[in-house]
Protein backbone atom coordinates (compact mmCIF):
# COMPACT_ATOMS: atom_id res chain seq x y z
CA UNK A 1 0.00 0.00 0.00
CA UNK A 2 1.07 3.56 -0.66
CA UNK A 3 1.11 6.21 2.07
CA UNK A 4 0.91 9.87 1.11
CA UNK A 5 1.63 12.66 3.60
CA UNK A 6 0.99 16.33 2.87
CA UNK A 7 1.73 19.25 5.20
CA UNK A 8 -0.52 22.04 6.40
CA UNK A 9 0.62 25.52 5.56
CA UNK A 10 0.11 29.07 6.67
CA UNK A 11 -0.06 31.58 3.87
CA UNK A 12 0.04 35.32 3.21
CA UNK A 13 2.16 35.99 6.35
CA UNK A 14 0.73 39.50 6.44
CA UNK A 15 1.47 41.54 3.31
CA UNK A 16 2.49 38.51 1.19
CA UNK A 17 -1.09 38.06 0.00
CA UNK A 18 -1.40 35.12 -2.43
CA UNK A 19 2.39 34.75 -2.66
CA UNK A 20 4.04 33.75 0.66
CA UNK A 21 3.49 30.39 2.34
CA UNK A 22 5.17 28.27 5.00
CA UNK A 23 4.82 24.49 5.44
CA UNK A 24 3.94 23.41 8.98
CA UNK A 25 4.86 20.25 10.79
CA UNK A 26 1.24 19.10 10.82
CA UNK A 27 0.27 16.50 8.22
CA UNK A 28 -2.73 14.87 6.63
CA UNK A 29 -2.04 11.33 5.53
CA UNK A 30 -3.75 9.06 3.05
CA UNK A 31 -3.46 5.31 2.51
CA UNK A 32 -3.94 4.67 -1.18
CA UNK A 33 -4.49 1.62 -3.39
CA UNK A 34 -5.71 1.12 -6.95
CA UNK A 35 -9.27 -0.17 -6.94
CA UNK A 36 -12.16 -1.21 -9.20
CA UNK A 37 -14.03 1.93 -8.26
CA UNK A 38 -13.35 5.08 -6.27
CA UNK A 39 -13.79 4.57 -2.54
CA UNK A 40 -13.20 7.14 0.19
CA UNK A 41 -12.85 5.84 3.74
CA UNK A 42 -12.85 8.01 6.86
CA UNK A 43 -14.34 11.15 5.32
CA UNK A 44 -17.43 13.03 6.45
CA UNK A 45 -20.54 12.16 4.45
CA UNK A 46 -20.59 15.71 3.01
CA UNK A 47 -17.20 15.12 1.35
CA UNK A 48 -17.80 11.52 0.28
CA UNK A 49 -18.58 12.20 -3.38
CA UNK A 50 -16.95 12.98 -6.71
CA UNK A 51 -16.37 16.60 -5.65
CA UNK A 52 -13.94 15.47 -2.99
CA UNK A 53 -10.78 17.48 -3.71
CA UNK A 54 -8.46 14.50 -3.29
CA UNK A 55 -10.48 12.53 -5.82
CA UNK A 56 -10.83 15.43 -8.27
CA UNK A 57 -7.08 16.01 -8.13
CA UNK A 58 -6.38 12.29 -8.56
CA UNK A 59 -8.45 12.19 -11.75
CA UNK A 60 -6.91 15.42 -13.03
CA UNK A 61 -3.49 13.84 -12.48
CA UNK A 62 -4.60 10.67 -14.27
CA UNK A 63 -5.84 12.73 -17.21
CA UNK A 64 -2.40 14.31 -17.50
CA UNK A 65 -0.84 10.86 -17.39
CA UNK A 66 -3.22 9.72 -20.12
CA UNK A 67 -4.92 6.96 -18.14
CA UNK A 68 -7.96 6.70 -15.97
CA UNK A 69 -8.33 4.27 -13.14
CA UNK A 70 -9.81 4.30 -9.68
CA UNK A 71 -8.50 4.58 -6.21
CA UNK A 72 -9.34 3.54 -2.67
CA UNK A 73 -8.26 6.16 -0.13
CA UNK A 74 -8.27 6.02 3.69
CA UNK A 75 -8.11 9.52 5.12
CA UNK A 76 -6.19 10.22 8.35
CA UNK A 77 -6.55 13.95 8.73
CA UNK A 78 -5.08 16.28 11.34
CA UNK A 79 -5.32 19.60 9.50
CA UNK A 80 -8.48 21.51 10.48
CA UNK A 81 -10.85 22.27 7.57
CA UNK A 82 -11.77 25.83 6.50
CA UNK A 83 -9.42 27.32 9.07
CA UNK A 84 -6.79 28.92 6.81
CA UNK A 85 -4.24 26.13 7.24
CA UNK A 86 -4.12 24.88 3.66
CA UNK A 87 -6.28 21.80 4.16
CA UNK A 88 -7.55 22.00 0.56
CA UNK A 89 -3.95 22.00 -0.69
CA UNK A 90 -3.22 18.91 1.39
CA UNK A 91 -6.06 17.10 -0.41
CA UNK A 92 -5.27 18.40 -3.90
CA UNK A 93 -1.54 17.74 -3.66
CA UNK A 94 -2.32 14.37 -2.05
CA UNK A 95 -4.55 13.33 -4.96
CA UNK A 96 -2.05 14.45 -7.60
CA UNK A 97 0.84 12.77 -5.81
CA UNK A 98 -1.21 9.57 -5.47
CA UNK A 99 -1.87 9.53 -9.23
CA UNK A 100 1.81 10.03 -9.91
CA UNK A 101 3.22 7.62 -7.32
CA UNK A 102 0.82 4.83 -8.35
CA UNK A 103 2.00 5.24 -11.97
CA UNK A 104 5.81 5.23 -11.91
CA UNK A 105 6.17 8.82 -10.71
CA UNK A 106 4.69 10.04 -13.97
CA UNK A 107 4.28 13.65 -12.75
CA UNK A 108 7.31 15.57 -11.50
CA UNK A 109 7.09 18.03 -8.59
CA UNK A 110 6.74 21.08 -10.79
CA UNK A 111 3.88 19.45 -12.71
CA UNK A 112 2.12 18.63 -9.43
CA UNK A 113 2.70 22.20 -8.20
CA UNK A 114 1.32 23.71 -11.45
CA UNK A 115 -1.83 21.58 -11.32
CA UNK A 116 -2.37 22.13 -7.60
CA UNK A 117 -1.94 25.92 -7.86
CA UNK A 118 -4.27 25.96 -10.85
CA UNK A 119 -6.95 24.06 -8.92
CA UNK A 120 -6.53 26.40 -5.94
CA UNK A 121 -6.39 29.55 -8.07
CA UNK A 122 -3.33 30.83 -6.17
CA UNK A 123 0.05 29.22 -5.41
CA UNK A 124 0.76 30.22 -1.81
CA UNK A 125 -0.44 27.02 -0.09
CA UNK A 126 0.28 24.66 -2.97
CA UNK A 127 3.99 25.59 -3.09
CA UNK A 128 4.88 24.82 0.54
CA UNK A 129 2.63 21.76 0.45
CA UNK A 130 4.56 20.33 -2.50
CA UNK A 131 8.08 21.54 -1.68
CA UNK A 132 8.04 22.18 2.09
CA UNK A 133 9.66 25.23 3.69
CA UNK A 134 9.07 28.92 3.17
CA UNK A 135 7.99 29.61 -0.42
CA UNK A 136 7.59 32.83 -2.37
CA UNK A 137 5.52 32.30 -5.50
CA UNK A 138 3.85 34.12 -8.35
CA UNK A 139 1.82 33.49 -11.49
CA UNK A 140 3.07 34.88 -14.79
CA UNK A 141 1.01 36.44 -17.59
CA UNK A 142 0.62 33.04 -19.30
CA UNK A 143 -0.76 31.49 -16.13
CA UNK A 144 2.35 29.51 -15.17
CA UNK A 145 3.32 29.39 -11.51
CA UNK A 146 6.81 29.97 -10.16
CA UNK A 147 8.17 29.44 -6.70
CA UNK A 148 11.46 29.74 -4.82
CA UNK A 149 12.19 28.28 -1.40
CA UNK A 150 13.65 30.70 1.15
CA UNK A 151 15.18 29.98 4.54
CA UNK A 152 12.78 30.62 7.40
CA UNK A 153 14.54 31.69 10.59
CA UNK A 154 14.88 29.03 13.29
CA UNK A 155 14.65 31.84 15.90
CA UNK A 156 10.93 32.38 15.52
CA UNK A 157 8.31 30.51 17.49
CA UNK A 158 5.01 29.91 15.70
CA UNK A 159 1.74 29.70 17.62
CA UNK A 160 -1.57 28.90 15.97
CA UNK A 161 -4.82 30.21 17.42
CA UNK A 162 -7.50 27.97 15.96
CA UNK A 163 -11.07 29.08 16.77
CA UNK A 164 -14.14 26.88 16.92
CA UNK A 165 -15.62 28.49 13.78
CA UNK A 166 -14.81 28.24 10.10
CA UNK A 167 -14.22 30.90 7.45
CA UNK A 168 -14.80 29.80 3.86
CA UNK A 169 -11.97 30.99 1.59
CA UNK A 170 -14.47 31.88 -1.16
CA UNK A 171 -16.33 34.22 1.23
CA UNK A 172 -13.10 35.68 2.55
CA UNK A 173 -12.04 36.50 -1.04
CA UNK A 174 -15.43 37.84 -2.06
CA UNK A 175 -15.32 40.63 0.54
CA UNK A 176 -11.99 42.01 -0.79
CA UNK A 177 -11.92 45.00 -3.15
CA UNK A 178 -11.09 44.30 -6.82
CA UNK A 179 -8.99 47.45 -7.14
CA UNK A 180 -6.68 49.23 -4.68
CA UNK A 181 -5.19 52.74 -4.78
CA UNK A 182 -1.54 53.01 -5.85
CA UNK A 183 -0.56 54.17 -2.35
CA UNK A 184 -1.76 50.85 -0.89
CA UNK A 185 -0.14 48.79 -3.67
CA UNK A 186 3.20 50.48 -3.03
CA UNK A 187 2.92 50.13 0.74
CA UNK A 188 2.05 46.44 0.53
CA UNK A 189 4.76 45.57 -1.98
CA UNK A 190 7.43 47.34 0.10
CA UNK A 191 6.25 45.74 3.31
CA UNK A 192 6.06 42.27 1.72
CA UNK A 193 9.67 42.51 0.58
CA UNK A 194 10.88 43.47 4.04
CA UNK A 195 8.60 40.92 5.71
CA UNK A 196 10.51 38.27 3.77
CA UNK A 197 13.82 39.77 4.93
CA UNK A 198 12.61 39.79 8.55
CA UNK A 199 11.39 36.17 8.39
CA UNK A 200 14.64 34.99 6.80
CA UNK A 201 16.83 36.90 9.29
CA UNK A 202 14.76 36.30 12.42
CA UNK A 203 14.46 40.07 12.81
CA UNK A 204 11.42 40.59 15.04
CA UNK A 205 11.78 44.38 15.20
CA UNK A 206 11.68 44.63 11.40
CA UNK A 207 8.78 42.16 11.26
CA UNK A 208 6.78 44.25 13.74
CA UNK A 209 7.29 47.29 11.54
CA UNK A 210 6.48 45.79 8.17
CA UNK A 211 4.15 42.77 8.60
CA UNK A 212 1.18 45.10 8.30
CA UNK A 213 -1.15 44.25 5.47
CA UNK A 214 -3.63 46.53 3.74
CA UNK A 215 -4.92 44.16 1.03
CA UNK A 216 -6.85 41.57 3.01
CA UNK A 217 -6.43 41.75 6.79
CA UNK A 218 -8.47 44.94 7.36
CA UNK A 219 -11.45 43.27 5.64
CA UNK A 220 -11.07 39.75 6.95
CA UNK A 221 -10.65 40.62 10.59
CA UNK A 222 -14.37 41.44 10.54
CA UNK A 223 -15.06 37.74 9.77
CA UNK A 224 -13.02 36.59 12.77
CA UNK A 225 -14.95 37.10 15.97
CA UNK A 226 -12.66 38.07 18.89
CA UNK A 227 -9.70 38.73 16.56
CA UNK A 228 -8.87 41.98 18.41
CA UNK A 229 -9.06 40.38 21.85
CA UNK A 230 -6.80 37.43 20.95
CA UNK A 231 -4.34 39.69 19.14
CA UNK A 232 -4.10 41.98 22.16
CA UNK A 233 -3.46 39.07 24.53
CA UNK A 234 -0.79 37.59 22.23
CA UNK A 235 1.07 40.87 21.73
CA UNK A 236 0.91 41.79 25.41
CA UNK A 237 2.42 38.44 26.39
CA UNK A 238 5.04 37.92 23.67
CA UNK A 239 5.65 41.29 22.02
CA UNK A 240 5.30 39.33 18.75
CA UNK A 241 3.37 39.74 15.52
CA UNK A 242 -0.20 38.47 15.07
CA UNK A 243 -1.51 37.69 11.57
CA UNK A 244 -4.43 35.97 9.89
CA UNK A 245 -3.36 32.56 8.60
CA UNK A 246 -4.39 32.32 4.94
CA UNK A 247 -7.99 33.48 4.72
CA UNK A 248 -8.64 32.62 8.41
CA UNK A 249 -10.20 31.72 10.74
CA UNK A 250 -6.92 30.60 12.34
CA UNK A 251 -4.54 33.36 13.39
CA UNK A 252 -0.82 32.91 13.69
CA UNK A 253 1.51 34.44 16.26
CA UNK A 254 5.19 34.86 15.41
CA UNK A 255 7.44 35.69 18.32
CA UNK A 256 10.72 34.88 20.03
CA UNK A 257 9.00 33.28 23.03
CA UNK A 258 5.96 31.07 23.16
CA UNK A 259 2.63 32.45 24.32
CA UNK A 260 2.04 31.58 27.97
CA UNK A 261 -1.31 33.17 28.67
CA UNK A 262 -3.59 30.50 27.19
CA UNK A 263 -5.73 30.52 30.32
CA UNK A 264 -6.78 34.13 29.56
CA UNK A 265 -8.49 32.86 26.39
CA UNK A 266 -10.99 30.86 28.40
CA UNK A 267 -12.80 34.11 29.27
CA UNK A 268 -13.69 34.53 25.57
CA UNK A 269 -16.96 33.48 23.98
CA UNK A 270 -15.34 31.16 21.44
CA UNK A 271 -13.00 28.29 22.13
CA UNK A 272 -9.53 29.08 20.76
CA UNK A 273 -7.16 26.13 20.54
CA UNK A 274 -3.58 27.28 21.09
CA UNK A 275 -1.12 25.11 19.16
CA UNK A 276 2.64 25.55 19.05
CA UNK A 277 3.97 24.32 15.72
CA UNK A 278 7.28 24.18 13.90
CA UNK A 279 7.75 24.83 10.24
CA UNK A 280 8.94 21.92 8.14
CA UNK A 281 11.23 21.69 5.16
CA UNK A 282 9.56 18.41 4.16
CA UNK A 283 6.90 18.77 1.50
CA UNK A 284 4.47 16.15 0.24
CA UNK A 285 5.80 12.60 0.33
CA UNK A 286 4.77 9.16 -0.91
CA UNK A 287 6.16 5.85 0.26
CA UNK A 288 5.29 2.17 0.28
CA UNK A 289 4.22 0.68 3.62
N1 LIG B 1 -3.90 33.52 -0.27
C1 LIG B 1 -5.17 32.89 -0.09
C2 LIG B 1 -6.14 33.88 0.49
C3 LIG B 1 -5.02 31.73 0.83
O1 LIG B 1 -5.73 34.60 1.39
O2 LIG B 1 -7.28 33.96 0.04
C4 LIG B 1 -6.32 31.02 1.09
O3 LIG B 1 -6.16 29.67 0.99
Amino acid sequence: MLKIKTPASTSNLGPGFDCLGLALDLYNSFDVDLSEEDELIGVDEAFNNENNLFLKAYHLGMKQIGLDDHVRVSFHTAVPVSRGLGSSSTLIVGGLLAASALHNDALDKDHIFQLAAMMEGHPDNAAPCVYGGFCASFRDEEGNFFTRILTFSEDFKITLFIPDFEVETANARRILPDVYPRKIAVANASKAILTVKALVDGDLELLKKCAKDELHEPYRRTLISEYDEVKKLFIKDTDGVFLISGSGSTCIGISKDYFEESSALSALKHHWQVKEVSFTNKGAMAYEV
Side-chain angles (χ1 to χ4, degrees):
M1 187 187 59
L2 188 70
K3 194 173 258 310
I4 307 271
K5 284 181 79 179
T6 49
S9 50
T10 184
S11 59
N12 297 331
L13 293 147
F17 179 63
D18 274 3
C19 59
L20 296 180
L22 177 69
L24 301 175
D25 192 16
L26 172 68
Y27 288 82
N28 277 342
S29 72
F30 313 95
D31 297 333
V32 186
D33 270 316
L34 289 174
S35 172
E36 288 297 307
E37 52 189 58
D38 292 329
E39 190 184 348
L40 307 178
I41 301 158
V43 291
D44 282 354
E45 213 37 54
F47 300 112
N48 196 350
N49 55 52
E50 76 234 21
N51 290 323
N52 182 286
L53 285 175
F54 186 103
L55 207 52
K56 277 176 98 163
Y58 178 83
H59 287 292
L60 176 66
M62 291 309 301
K63 205 167 161 197
Q64 297 286 312
I65 295 168
L67 296 169
D68 199 15
D69 56 21
H70 298 279
V71 73
R72 180 187 311 109
V73 194
S74 292
F75 288 66
H76 305 277
T77 54
V79 181
V81 176
S82 294
R83 297 297 202 289
L85 291 169
S87 83
S88 57
S89 271
T90 68
L91 299 172
I92 292 170
V93 172
L96 292 165
L97 184 56
S100 179
L102 288 170
H103 300 87
N104 302 316
D105 298 325
L107 304 172
D108 65 20
K109 273 194 181 183
D110 183 58
H111 203 160
I112 290 175
F113 167 53
Q114 297 297 328
L115 295 171
M118 187 195 70
M119 279 184 75
E120 287 258 271
H122 41 82
D124 46 330
N125 293 103
C129 188
V130 172
Y131 293 104
F134 178 32
C135 298
S137 314
F138 83 106
R139 178 182 216 162
D140 74 9
E141 297 68 26
E142 279 84 49
N144 299 310
F145 294 96
F146 286 83
T147 194
R148 287 291 180 271
I149 304 171
L150 310 165
T151 313
F152 194 86
S153 172
E154 301 274 352
D155 291 346
F156 284 132
K157 307 276 187 280
I158 303 168
T159 309
L160 302 179
F161 293 86
I162 310 171
D164 59 5
F165 55 87
E166 302 181 353
V167 167
E168 289 297 334
T169 298
N171 291 341
R173 293 182 82 81
R174 205 172 298 124
I175 61 162
L176 303 182
D178 290 326
V179 177
Y180 296 87
R182 185 197 308 166
K183 200 170 140 203
I184 289 184
V186 171
N188 245 72
S190 347
K191 286 176 190 165
I193 292 166
L194 288 177
T195 292
V196 169
K197 171 85 178 142
L199 293 173
V200 167
D201 291 351
D203 186 342
L204 185 60
E205 289 312 307
L206 180 62
L207 192 66
K208 278 159 63 179
K209 209 82 212 120
C210 62
K212 291 178 182 155
D213 169 78
E214 293 179 66
L215 297 185
H216 67 110
E217 293 218 353
Y219 307 95
R220 287 172 166 177
R221 56 194 279 280
T222 63
L223 301 177
I224 303 175
S225 174
E226 298 176 326
Y227 168 90
D228 288 330
E229 289 89 333
V230 180
K231 179 174 181 170
K232 206 161 143 198
L233 284 170
F234 177 76
I235 292 177
K236 184 161 172 252
D237 185 46
T238 65
D239 194 30
V241 165
F242 188 84
L243 303 166
I244 299 175
S245 179
S247 54
S249 53
T250 296
C251 295
I252 169 179
I254 302 177
S255 50
K256 291 279 163 132
D257 301 304
Y258 276 123
F259 178 66
E260 286 181 350
E261 290 298 318
S262 299
S263 56
L265 295 171
S266 57
L268 298 177
K269 189 172 75 198
H270 288 283
H271 177 260
W272 288 81
Q273 184 195 354
V274 179
K275 194 171 176 62
E276 295 168 4
V277 282
S278 308
F279 69 89
T280 179
N281 288 321
K282 287 198 191 115
M285 56 197 111
Y287 47 91
E288 288 292 334
V289 286

